[in-house]
Amino acid sequence: MKAYHCTCGWRVFFENTECLGCKRKLGFDPARSAMVALDPQQGRTYRDAGEPHRGYHLCRNYHVHHVCNWLLPAQDPAQYCLACNLNQEVPSLEEPRYQLWWTNMEAAKRRMLYTLLELRLPIVSKLQDPDSGLAFAFRDDRRYNPRAEEDYVGTGHLNGLITVNMMEADPAARESARIDMMEAYRTLLGHFRHESGHYYWRTVVQGTDRLQNFRVVFGDERTDYGAALKAYYAQADKARWHGDYISPYSRAHPWEDWAETWAHYLHIADAMETAGVFGLTELTLGKDDFQLCLSDWSTLTIMLNEMNRSVGQHDAYPFVLTEKITSKLTFVHESIAAFHRTRALHARIERTAGAEAR
């Protein structure tokens, strides 16, 4: 995450809606990856206090429900920002606690989208492309809400729709699930990053010349998915796994191994950027040798865990990057790079064809 400052010089953060220094309203412009201090104009429009030629209006979920802080250009007729435009189903606010849970959901989703934008990956809503677009559904079930329509809602991905059970936004319920599932690590942000891995697999692997290499590194994704999950959940000790996998759940199926590794790559990308802001590293995934970045990352995680232990907390990073896991992370890194090379090549071909037509 980048470092942000208000026009007045006060340090502000990604989730902020107001500067504590000058009391200006704040918003995030995803097109510029910038936190913007806002001066009110006519109606619901604002101008950038630092660059007055830029005008904005607030996402509807910002000024109505207060669960978002993203902006749209003043001339854009859309009601919802890039992030909220991906929502296919949001929770009913008849349940008082759902306001807070939805806020938590949106915060994690926006942080995940921030990293995808930094990696220059395409973010297309199902409203724009029903077949291959991305959407989110936040649902509850009767385990936590007797008035819910469904007995059970699982967090998962299907054809571009990422569903997240509302209880994942409740820290107590999520921690209980973590213990029951014998997981070392379970976060709301991690769920979003994991499910995005399922979605982007078809973008950066499926249908490309990397699919055969994927099967060498992760295994054959054509293995029966339902049977593989059933076998995984039947295991008595899910907490035990060896150094070929970043987490126990990675063992379930090659798709889950990919999604867990993808999520971990996004963790590293965001955390390395944050570490750079605080002067803890000079390396970034997008510019420097990936193996060198991983070496620096290992040093950072040792420091991070020791800091946590010093204040009586569990390890913030309960993972070990073995040679096999590193090869999988490298595959993710190289798949994203290959996607960009292919897209750049197609863009050059289209420009050349256009020039010849003229």
Side-chain angles (χ1 to χ4, degrees), residues 121-163:
L121 289 164
I123 300 174
V124 179
S125 168
K126 274 192 173 296
L127 294 174
Q128 299 168 269
D129 187 340
D131 294 326
S132 60
L134 177 64
F136 294 88
F138 305 141
R139 297 175 179 163
D140 60 3
D141 60 39
R142 292 196 183 100
R143 292 176 298 166
Y144 304 96
N145 177 14
R147 294 190 294 274
E149 294 182 1
E150 299 177 71
D151 291 327
Y152 175 82
V153 170
T155 294
H157 167 268
L158 181 63
N159 298 327
L161 176 63
I162 292 175
T163 300

Side-chain angles (χ1 to χ4, degrees), residues 148-265:
E149 294 182 1
E150 299 177 71
D151 291 327
Y152 175 82
V153 170
T155 294
H157 167 268
L158 181 63
N159 298 327
L161 176 63
I162 292 175
T163 300
V164 184
N165 191 305
M166 286 297 295
M167 80 89 183
E168 294 293 346
D170 176 14
R174 190 174 61 251
E175 177 64 8
S176 177
R178 186 191 70 79
I179 294 171
D180 289 344
M181 296 295 293
M182 294 180 284
E183 297 173 337
Y185 188 84
R186 188 185 184 98
T187 67
L188 186 54
L189 178 56
H191 281 307
F192 279 99
R193 286 175 170 166
H194 173 99
E195 301 305 337
S196 77
H198 288 300
Y199 173 74
Y200 283 99
W201 183 82
R202 62 184 183 181
T203 301
V204 301
V205 178
Q206 186 182 37
T208 74
D209 58 7
R210 297 189 61 77
L211 183 57
Q212 285 304 119
N213 286 339
F214 171 89
R215 290 169 180 163
V216 172
V217 176
F218 290 91
D220 193 336
E221 84 289 352
R222 293 169 295 187
T223 302
D224 188 290
Y225 182 73
L229 285 189
K230 185 176 180 180
Y232 169 75
Y233 285 115
Q235 295 173 11
D237 186 0
K238 301 180 185 63
R240 185 175 297 174
W241 77 100
H242 55 80
D244 288 353
Y245 302 96
I246 194 66
S247 71
Y249 190 51
S250 300
R251 293 180 303 163
H253 188 274
W255 277 336
E256 298 305 338
D257 195 7
W258 161 266
E260 287 286 87
T261 306
W262 172 276
H264 209 84
Y265 182 83

Side-chain angles (χ1 to χ4, degrees), residues 28 70 85 192 273 290-291:
F28 181 75
W70 282 25
N85 197 47
F192 279 99
E273 185 179 50
F290 184 61
Q291 302 308 316

Side-chain angles (χ1 to χ4, degrees), residues 287-318:
K287 297 179 181 179
D288 299 294
D289 178 81
F290 184 61
Q291 302 308 316
L292 189 61
C293 286
L294 286 184
S295 176
D296 220 31
W297 172 244
S298 294
T299 301
L300 287 169
T301 59
I302 291 171
M303 178 178 63
L304 183 63
N305 285 344
E306 286 300 308
M307 287 292 292
N308 261 33
R309 294 171 189 176
S310 295
V311 294
Q313 296 294 323
H314 296 298
D315 285 355
Y317 189 78

Side-chain angles (χ1 to χ4, degrees), residues 1-6 10-20 26-28 34-36 69-70 110-111 274 277-278:
M1 183 60 64
K2 294 184 177 73
Y4 296 111
H5 292 83
C6 178
W10 197 272
R11 184 160 195 158
V12 298
F13 300 92
F14 184 63
E15 291 83 9
N16 287 165
T17 57
E18 181 181 283
C19 173
L20 297 180
L26 299 173
F28 181 75
M35 286 296 292
V36 181
N69 68 340
W70 282 25
R110 290 197 307 276
R111 187 168 281 262
T274 305
V277 166
F278 287 94

